[in-house]
Amino acid sequence: MIGVGKMKQYSNVLDKPLGKGKQEVSLSAFAFLFSELVQYNQTQVDNIAELERRLEDAGYAVGARVLELLCHREKGNRRETRLLGILSFVHSTVWKVLFGKVADSLEKGTEDEDEYMISEKELLVNRLLSNSFVNCKHSRNDCCVVDLRQTIDKGWIFTGSFPKDMGTFNSGAFAAGIVKGVLEGAGFPAVVTAHFVPIEGQQRPRTTILIKFSEEVLKRESSLG
């Protein structure tokens, strides 16, 4: 058979090497899927805290899988064992793979030793989901719908109508869940939350992912010197 000796044969698909494949995903496709994720979960909750928790749970599953994938591709199945190492991994490698760029900043909390912050001027999921009130076509006053309204810069921009008690909804909870999934999967348990931070002179606030590590992580880090 021609060429048989030049091509390695695999009896099982699981034996095939995991290549990098295509690195980019269509922004409009991601935007549509994320919109569907938010819309579905909106129908399952009664308040903003429950909605953000559901998005965090969804992000957590993504983070756990991203960690496995990147450790295989980038680190030869080795994982970070130091605190600053895993934070740098999330801030640079993970962020670039997921959002196409390194996060804007990584800072240590000024008041508590166990707190770190990853900040984005315009976090992608918050940029796509703009919490601006529009004229709702539904008769219900408590309507909370996210629709595709317009296309800008070759990507979907969302606006939606939310009830008043959801006016502070932060879809960055999805990104916070991703970060938590990566950290806990790597052995760095932490409480991870997303917050809006107003910036003077700008209409949109900055999104800050606040990471508060558990006491066991700090003790282990201290013992390693």
Side-chain angles (χ1 to χ4, degrees), residues 29-61:
F30 170 75
F32 175 75
L33 289 174
F34 190 67
S35 171
E36 290 295 308
L37 174 67
V38 174
Q39 287 186 74
Y40 170 76
N41 283 291
Q42 282 180 328
T43 65
Q44 308 297 311
V45 303
D46 297 321
N47 56 64
I48 185 174
E50 291 181 12
L51 177 56
E52 290 180 348
R53 182 186 58 77
R54 281 177 166 266
L55 289 182
E56 181 184 328
D57 290 344
Y60 185 96

Side-chain angles (χ1 to χ4, degrees), residues 157-225:
I157 299 297
F158 298 141
T159 59
S161 57
F162 293 84
K164 291 181 179 180
D165 64 339
M166 286 193 176
T168 59
F169 168 60
N170 189 339
S171 53
F174 180 73
I178 293 176
V179 173
K180 183 175 183 179
V182 171
L183 292 177
E184 293 198 350
F188 294 83
V191 175
V192 186
T193 50
H195 304 270
F196 285 129
V197 179
I199 302 177
E200 186 177 355
Q202 294 190 15
Q203 182 179 3
R204 294 180 182 175
R206 179 180 64 191
T207 302
T208 293
I209 307 298
L210 178 63
I211 304 167
K212 190 175 183 66
F213 288 103
S214 67
E215 186 176 352
E216 66 180 88
V217 172
L218 299 182
K219 287 182 177 180
R220 183 181 66 208
E221 185 70 15
S222 178
S223 67
L224 293 174

Side-chain angles (χ1 to χ4, degrees), residues 66-105:
V66 166
L67 174 66
E68 294 291 338
L69 180 62
L70 294 183
C71 282
H72 175 78
R73 285 181 177 174
E74 310 290 339
K75 292 181 171 293
N77 292 319
R78 292 179 289 114
R79 298 190 181 187
E80 294 289 346
T81 59
R82 301 302 299 269
L83 185 63
L84 292 181
I86 192 66
L87 284 170
S88 178
F89 175 68
V90 173
H91 165 264
S92 56
T93 304
V94 172
W95 223 258
K96 190 170 184 179
V97 166
L98 293 177
F99 303 118
K101 61 182 284 296
V102 173
D104 289 342
S105 68

